[in-house]
Amino acid sequence: MGYELHVTRAAEYYESEEHPIALDEWLAYAERSPTLTQGGWIWWDEDRHPFYVFTCGDGSVVSLTWFEGAIEIKGHFDGDAYREFGGLAEDFQASLQGDDGERYTPSGALPPSH
């Protein structure tokens, strides 16, 4: 699956700044996670943020970054999105959402709510 996923506390990922995952909360989580490795730095406007890499069950490597209150997951993998990243979303008491608004749950993908 080559697609962007979002871990967000908002009803829609593009509203993540209204119900954010704080940057320091994300960084503390990422640094203590045994499955994430810092992969380098990315610039957003004037700020530099680390990005992290994760190796999926199929061997694919994806990147995770924080952007405007959400955790963005980018890359290509062939596995089940919830199986790969559902635990991450649950750890943040957030949802896992795709670019088209679908939500990934243990029972599968749910269509957009709008």
Side-chain angles (χ1 to χ4, degrees):
M1 167 183 247
Y3 198 60
E4 190 167 322
L5 298 172
H6 314 272
V7 176
T8 181
R9 290 181 177 146
E12 300 297 336
Y13 74 88
Y14 48 82
E15 298 171 339
S16 292
E17 286 183 298
E18 296 173 23
H19 304 282
I21 295 169
L23 176 59
D24 60 342
E25 183 181 8
W26 160 242
L27 294 175
Y29 179 92
E31 287 298 318
R32 71 176 180 269
S33 173
T35 61
L36 298 174
T37 304
Q38 187 175 344
W41 299 91
I42 191 165
W43 289 88
W44 297 116
D45 297 321
E46 302 289 320
D47 298 320
R48 181 178 84 151
H49 297 280
F51 71 87
Y52 294 85
V53 293
F54 173 80
T55 303
C56 298
D58 67 357
S60 302
V61 177
V62 297
S63 66
L64 291 88
T65 57
W66 180 91
F67 181 69
E68 296 181 345
I71 300 163
E72 307 292 319
I73 303 166
K74 298 178 183 182
H76 176 84
F77 63 95
D78 291 323
D80 175 270
Y82 192 83
R83 193 167 343 131
E84 296 285 3
F85 306 107
L88 172 70
E90 290 173 6
D91 288 347
F92 282 98
Q93 297 178 330
S95 64
L96 181 62
Q97 193 176 89
D99 272 345
D100 293 330
E102 74 281 12
R103 296 183 194 291
Y104 294 91
T105 71
S107 349
L110 302 176
S113 58
H114 56 283

